[in-house]
Amino acid sequence: MDLLWTISTTLLLCSLLSILWKEFDRRRNRSCYLLDFVCYKPSDDRKLSSELCSDIIVRNKRLSVPDYKFLLKVVVNSGISEETYGPRSIIEGREECPTHDDCVDEVDDCMYRTLDELFLRTGISPIDVDVLVVNVSMFAPSPSLTSRIVNRYRMREDVKNFSLVGMGCSASPIAIDLVNNIFETRKRTLAVVVTSESIAPNWYCGTDKSMMLGNCLFRSGGCSFMLTNDPSLKHRAKMNLKCLVRAHIGANDDAYGCAIQKEDDEGRVGFHLSKSLPKAAVRAFAENLQRLAPKVLPMGELALYVLRGFRHRLWRSKEAKTDAATAARVNFKSGVDHFCLHTGGAAVIDAVGRALGLTNYDMEPARMTLHRWGNTSASSLWYVLGYMEAKKRLRRKDRVLMLSFGAGFKCNSCLWEVLRDLNDGGAWDDCIRAYPPQTLDNPFIEKFGWVKEA
Amino acid sequence: MPRAPFPELSSSVRLKYVKLGYQYLVNNFVAFLLIPVMIAVSLVLVRRGPDEIMALWHSLQLDLTQVLFSVFLFVFVAAVYFVSRPRPVYLVDYACFKPPTTCRVPFATFMEHAWLINWDEKSVQFQTRILERSGLGEETCLPPANHYIPPIPTMEASRAEAQLVIFSAIDDLLKKTGLRPKNIDILVVNCSLFSPTPSLSAMIINKYELRSNIRSFNLSGMGCSAGLISIDLARDLLQVHPSSNALVISTEIITPNLYTGNQRSMLLPNCLFRMGAAAILLSNRRRDARRAKYRLLHLVRTHKGADDRAYRCVYQEEDAEGHTGISLSKDLMVIAGKALKSNITTIGPLVLPMSEQLLFFLTLVGRKLINHKWKPYIPDFKMAFEHFCIHAGGRAVIDELQNNLQLTAEHVEASRMTLHRFGNTSSSSLWYELSYIESKGRMRRGHRVWQIGFGSGFKCNSAVWKCLRTVETLVDGPWTDCINRYPVDIPDVVKL
């Protein structure tokens, strides 16, 4: 029965081929390409100088003189320049009673400006968008922000839209995680993600110091970016996602409560940042790095790390070994070329940089972003990336690590591989030549020099 | 409210039987085709006789190894086919929050509070009229903070309500399923009008000490149909991660959203929204298939936001005096009908039997080519589903859908009774309705359920589930103590 034999062998080969093809197809679908990103640049009439900040602080008649000094000190020493932006309602004096329209306009301006430019630059029409994700942590109107975008750009009826809210400063990797998961279930899908923060409705007008920090550090900003898993668009893509790690230590009460929106003793809502925040950040950071290291580091470095671990266990070294300190022993620079650190504050950048063993050159993009744009919450990573691109640091095959922290407490990270040499100026175009400046000191230190003595 | 005219093709009894015969023929077409083939084959066999058949068999000279090899090949190909199918999504179980009786808001309480908070006679009269015609009963509940005069819409009170409703539902679910919190892989929470930072998902992770590598998502602002959006997201995640389970929480927090102004279009939500929550456990593990209640067959999302009228029909804004509220436009029913039609266009081909699809197609062709005055054929969805869960958004929504889909009173009973007993609990209402059907002992193995949700945007989302095991009547749920009183007759207007 040669015929039977031939038929059997053919069927067997076909089955094997189909399995191989399915596996190959699945891996192909796993790609998540970043086509482009556009960072938000508000209009110049929204710039918040230190002088203007001081005026705004003084408007709060409930504060005492020590409170003013404390706040001015924070502002002056924050590493934030005179060029950052605030919402119109605060600049125009309505910080204590913003209208619903003020809040909506603030977010609309960011979303629409960045999306208009994104669609223009990529040449892709809004009608082709399959997935839309918006993350704005502290403002969720009805209909949702995604519906606002669907309405304005007349998107399709079957667009998958998700409005992520309340996920803090590290919501960007969460949105990417969501899109990436959808990419694995559908072919040739195009996704648009908008990440921003809403400051107007969240201005704190009480006297609790732990809640006033937010007022001083948060600034207006946002970013829209486009992702796809369509291999035919790979040649136009800027980066490819290699891995993503999310760590959530909310199970611990201190971590959950260290950055929380709540009412103060007088019933005013504010964002409370507790003293245990750095500790929670370290724990979440360690948790994230433990899972990130094997995915990011080359085999040699991993082997060294394991060997050091054995040596420590065998010889019971007396040195205090916290997880963060162990992390410092691991040379992340062996697997990562550029680091996009969340610009939570100068102290955060310094601490993370020390833990990862980074040089001033590595931390420069984050520091400069904090200086030029302030803490723009979830979108800060994209401004840092924009700096690197404007400085022409991103070359083909470079690996970029995005690392951010957020309320909950979370630490999320994702690793990108650059697909081609990048040199767009983006939002940094008009000022990149002035960076890095001679000094990061606030020019008004002379005027407010007395705060340094307090 | 204008009602769209729909055709009555089977007006006479004779036509009805003709239609039945046609449906039977088309839906079992393959079987009908095979019958003559089988008859022919058996006739040939019978004519040949048993001895000849045995001789034929021996003449094939099949070798043992070849037979074994063919069997192996067949099994291998079958295995490849089964493994490459998309992962099924099972609904292991779900639990709905049962509000305590202390939170009850009978009509008298509601009217008195409305008067004491508002002091505007016209507004109170308007709300009374709405309540009379709303289809709500006397046992719906508002959160504790809304029982104060004036209500205390603080963040602390809102969090307290969230903890009350969500944790109760999750505790019930954990007890029912025996699930350990550390085994939860995916968490999706949706709550439209309350979104603190950290999110409600972080609050749940904190309370139940969930794992640090959990995939959590918090959706907000997505309206009353967000429950199905969360299920959609959980489904996509379960397709990607093998051997996982997902906890989906759907709720709406009422505390911070009481409208204290006088604009009529914004007073409606005050009258209709009540507190509720549902916790749903989904899984893609094959071993859960044995104990799961339902399997998700289809989920279709439709977003009509591109149309300005649809986009603005449920809209949060400030009134002239600066009070924020959600205004419902007069066009709501028309827009809901259109959104449903769009949704049906996608889901119809997936669920309708061949007979209905063919009729629809032929009528469409006829309208285009023969006579465009032919009325469009509305497929009979009662053939595709045994049960319907229509979002209990309000009496008008249920009436409109009953009319559009030509459903009987029994089909919409679950929705009407849920509206009566629990009010409009937003995204969790679909689960209260499902619980009603189960509590009534109507859910049998093989039955299909269609859940339809509407929400701001304007969205229409629908999900189709198939029941995997007959659900026993003594269902432990929100209806346990009152199911025997239902169904009740709800008058068009309750005189207050």
Side-chain angles (χ1 to χ4, degrees), chain A residues 1 4-5 8-9 11-12 15-16 18-19 22 98-101 137-138 140-144 146-148 150-151 154-168 174 177-178 181-182 184-185 246-253 256 259-263 269 271 287 291 407-408 410, chain B residues 60 62 66 69-70 72-73 76-77 80 84 154-156 159 192-193 195-199 201-203 205-206 209-223 229 232-233 235-237 239-241 301-308 311 314-318 324 326 342 456-457 459:
Chain A
M1 302 294 291
L4 184 64
W5 191 251
S8 313
T9 344
L11 273 173
L12 185 66
S15 316
L16 279 169
S18 83
I19 296 174
K22 269 201 163 41
T99 62
H100 185 75
D101 283 340
S137 193
M138 312 224 305
S142 229
S144 59
T146 48
S147 293
R148 294 187 78 81
V150 169
N151 174 254
R154 309 282 184 233
M155 291 186 174
R156 292 196 320 258
E157 276 181 9
D158 63 344
V159 66
K160 262 186 197 274
N161 57 323
F162 299 98
S163 188
L164 293 174
V165 179
M167 309 211 83
I174 295 175
D177 185 31
L178 196 161
N181 276 293
I182 295 179
E184 292 199 36
T185 63
R246 293 172 59 180
H248 199 306
I249 56 165
N252 176 280
D253 286 337
Y256 174 69
I260 187 165
Q261 196 181 17
K262 62 179 189 181
E263 275 123 1
V269 176
F271 200 76
E287 184 79 38
R291 289 175 24 218
K410 311 172 184 80
Chain B
L60 276 175
L62 283 170
Q66 281 167 342
F69 184 73
S70 313
F72 158 76
L73 194 69
F76 182 73
V77 170
V80 165
S84 64
T154 58
M155 186 157 251
E156 199 183 328
R159 274 212 173 94
S192 197
L193 297 167
S195 45
T197 302
S199 58
S201 60
M203 189 178 82
I205 292 173
N206 173 250
E209 294 178 7
L210 304 183
R211 292 197 321 257
S212 66
N213 63 350
I214 194 165
R215 295 197 128 80
S216 64
F217 298 93
N218 192 86
L219 305 174
S220 199
M222 307 206 79
I229 296 178
D232 181 38
L233 178 58
R235 176 188 62 163
D236 284 337
L237 290 162
Q239 293 300 315
V240 175
H241 303 288
R301 293 171 61 175
T302 308
H303 198 304
K304 301 294 276 178
D307 171 27
D308 283 333
Y311 170 66
V314 178
Y315 204 77
Q316 187 181 32
E317 55 190 354
E318 266 173 12
T324 314
I326 297 186
S342 295
S456 64
K459 305 178 189 76

Side-chain angles (χ1 to χ4, degrees), chain A residues 384-397:
Chain A
V384 178
L385 187 71
Y387 181 90
M388 293 174 185
E389 188 178 353
K391 279 284 186 195
K392 302 197 195 333
R393 288 189 184 193
L394 299 174
R395 302 280 126 213
R396 191 165 162 265
K397 295 215 173 157

Side-chain angles (χ1 to χ4, degrees), chain A residues 6 24 80 105 125 150 197 202 232 247 256 274 296 317 324 367 435 438 446:
Chain A
T6 327
F24 168 70
I80 296 177
D105 288 342
S125 162
V150 169
E197 191 50 88
N202 299 303
S232 67
Y256 174 69
S274 95
V296 158
S317 167
R367 286 195 179 125
Y435 278 87
Q438 297 279 40
E446 292 307 311

Side-chain angles (χ1 to χ4, degrees), chain B residues 103-208:
Chain B
C103 290
R104 257 188 226 171
V105 178
F107 294 147
T109 313
F110 185 88
M111 294 335 308
E112 187 182 10
H113 280 225
W115 174 243
L116 288 169
I117 295 163
N118 221 325
W119 291 104
D120 180 66
E121 200 171 320
K122 283 212 170 108
S123 301
V124 176
Q125 275 176 5
F126 175 74
Q127 288 181 81
T128 313
R129 274 207 310 279
I130 295 291
L131 213 54
E132 284 173 350
R133 290 158 180 77
S134 63
L136 264 72
E138 301 259 24
E139 294 177 277
T140 61
C141 296
L142 281 175
N146 282 38
H147 288 257
Y148 285 82
I149 300 168
I152 31 172
T154 58
M155 186 157 251
E156 199 183 328
S158 308
R159 274 212 173 94
E161 182 195 345
Q163 285 169 353
L164 171 67
V165 306
I166 294 175
F167 294 165
S168 306
I170 296 180
D171 288 340
D172 271 344
L173 183 67
L174 294 178
K175 210 163 68 179
K176 274 189 194 178
T177 55
L179 175 74
R180 285 179 57 222
K182 285 259 181 276
N183 293 341
I184 298 173
D185 303 299
I186 297 163
L187 174 66
V188 183
V189 178
N190 72 268
C191 173
S192 197
L193 297 167
F194 177 56
S195 45
T197 302
S199 58
L200 294 174
S201 60
M203 189 178 82
I204 295 170
I205 292 173
N206 173 250
K207 160 86 176 170
Y208 292 95

Side-chain angles (χ1 to χ4, degrees), chain B residues 377-436:
Chain B
Y377 178 64
I378 306 303
D380 186 5
F381 279 89
K382 299 193 284 294
M383 293 196 60
F385 304 106
E386 280 75 30
H387 306 287
F388 296 79
C389 290
I390 299 165
H391 166 55
R395 192 190 210 137
V397 171
I398 303 173
D399 289 342
E400 179 76 13
L401 258 78
Q402 183 180 6
N403 192 41
N404 273 7
L405 298 171
Q406 294 170 312
L407 302 176
T408 64
E410 197 184 322
H411 285 125
V412 295
E413 185 184 307
S415 310
R416 288 200 198 280
M417 297 309 120
T418 299
L419 183 65
H420 185 265
R421 172 64 181 84
F422 295 100
N424 178 353
T425 57
S426 187
S427 45
S428 51
S429 64
L430 299 173
W431 302 101
Y432 284 96
E433 292 168 25
L434 193 62
S435 184
Y436 179 88

Side-chain angles (χ1 to χ4, degrees), chain A residues 427-438:
Chain A
W428 290 91
D429 210 18
D430 59 346
C431 61
I432 194 68
R433 270 170 283 280
Y435 278 87
Q438 297 279 40

